Amino acid sequence: MRRALGILLPVLALLLVALPAHAVPVAVPNVNIGFGGSEQPQDMAVTLQVIAMLTVLSLAPAILMLMTAFTRIVIVLSFVRQAIGTQVMPPNQVIIGLSLFLTFFVMAPVANDIYANAWQPLSHKAITQDVAIARAEAPIRQFMFKQTREKDLALYVKFSKIARPHVAKDVPTYVLIPAFVTSELKTAFQIGFVIYLPFLIIDMVVASILMSMGMMMLPPVTISLPFKIILFVLVDGWNLLSRALLTSFN
């Protein structure tokens, strides 16, 4: 064994020294980015379309939050967590994720309408881009009009100093969006107030009992928190809350 090891070790050492000399070079890809001129007008049009697409993608979070059901849903869910008294349960990631998927559920008919009447004809080159944008804008505007209060819409129409609209088409989109957001905030706070009441009553009852027993140094939240959680679980609160949110959009 010693003689075999004495022979193998020098051979392995020679192989390790010789490998780098006979190693096969690895080809590394080279990427070059440059700006050049073009004499074809269609190239310029494609460039402008890419820039417009990047601009829309950068505004996508604002569009999702302010032109869909997301605002109302996320505020109501935040009210529920605050009313129960669990500061970090459910976590923010769960609140935002549930709000997003409920928003997708509520906006699914609008998305299907846009896909069928705007995107598919445009992809098959049956309509122009301007017509596709108009068709895509129509169902979103219809959804926002259903959830917008006339008082809020009249406020922004007045301050925009435009002619008094007679039909929905006369209202510009830049006037409709802030009116829709204002209405959504009011509706969300109304729902949140109704949800807050039973938990507030529990806090008041627990605080009164503790004061009558002379336990003023004990925080009422410590005692009321388990009761509020049990109440929310027994009445199947998440099911009732989801049903109330979905019903509020119909």
Side-chain angles (χ1 to χ4, degrees):
M1 289 294 294
R2 293 180 180 177
R3 185 177 298 177
L5 290 175
I7 297 173
L8 289 175
L9 288 177
V11 173
L12 290 174
L14 291 174
L15 288 175
L16 291 174
V17 173
L19 278 176
H22 298 282
V24 179
V26 179
V28 179
N30 186 17
V31 179
N32 294 321
I33 299 176
F35 297 91
S38 177
E39 297 180 356
Q40 299 181 359
Q42 57 269 25
D43 294 339
M44 186 63 179
V46 172
T47 303
L48 293 177
Q49 289 178 359
V50 171
I51 295 174
M53 184 180 299
L54 293 176
T55 304
V56 171
L57 289 177
S58 64
L59 295 175
I63 294 174
L64 176 63
M65 290 187 294
L66 300 181
M67 298 178 63
T68 61
F70 181 81
T71 302
R72 182 188 305 183
I73 294 173
V74 73
I75 291 176
V76 171
L77 293 181
S78 300
F79 263 112
V80 171
R81 184 175 65 179
Q82 186 71 23
I84 296 175
T86 54
Q87 300 299 325
V88 293
M89 288 295 167
N92 290 329
Q93 294 84 349
V94 176
I95 294 292
I96 299 298
L98 180 59
S99 301
L100 283 173
F101 281 101
L102 285 177
T103 301
F104 295 154
F105 184 83
V106 172
M107 302 301 295
V110 177
N112 292 333
D113 192 354
I114 294 174
Y115 179 77
N117 297 324
W119 175 253
Q120 280 192 339
L122 179 64
S123 61
H124 292 88
K125 297 182 179 180
I127 58 176
T128 62
Q129 186 175 359
D130 295 337
V131 175
I133 292 175
R135 290 186 179 182
E137 188 180 14
I140 298 178
R141 284 172 55 90
Q142 184 179 2
F143 171 80
M144 289 193 292
F145 270 116
K146 288 183 179 179
Q147 310 302 326
T148 304
R149 291 180 172 83
E150 184 177 353
K151 181 180 179 180
D152 297 328
L153 186 61
L155 172 66
Y156 290 97
V157 169
K158 177 182 177 181
F159 281 93
S160 63
K161 297 180 180 180
I162 61 175
R164 183 175 181 178
H166 298 284
V167 293
K169 294 182 179 179
D170 297 337
V171 180
T173 303
Y174 72 89
V175 175
L176 176 60
I177 292 176
F180 168 74
V181 175
T182 304
S183 298
E184 286 293 284
L185 289 174
K186 182 176 182 180
T187 303
F189 272 74
Q190 288 176 344
I191 299 175
F193 174 76
V194 174
I195 293 174
Y196 219 103
L197 279 179
F199 299 105
L200 180 62
I201 293 173
I202 294 177
D203 287 332
M204 294 175 62
V205 171
V206 172
S208 300
I209 294 174
L210 291 177
M211 289 184 65
S212 64
M213 296 175 62
M215 305 174 64
M216 293 180 292
M217 300 302 295
L218 182 64
V221 178
T222 306
I223 307 300
S224 63
L225 179 59
F227 289 100
K228 290 190 288 187
I229 294 176
I230 292 174
L231 174 64
F232 193 74
V233 172
L234 290 178
V235 300
D236 199 3
W238 292 113
N239 183 279
L240 293 176
L241 181 62
S242 300
R243 181 183 302 177
L245 285 171
L246 296 177
T247 305
S248 67
F249 289 102
N250 296 327

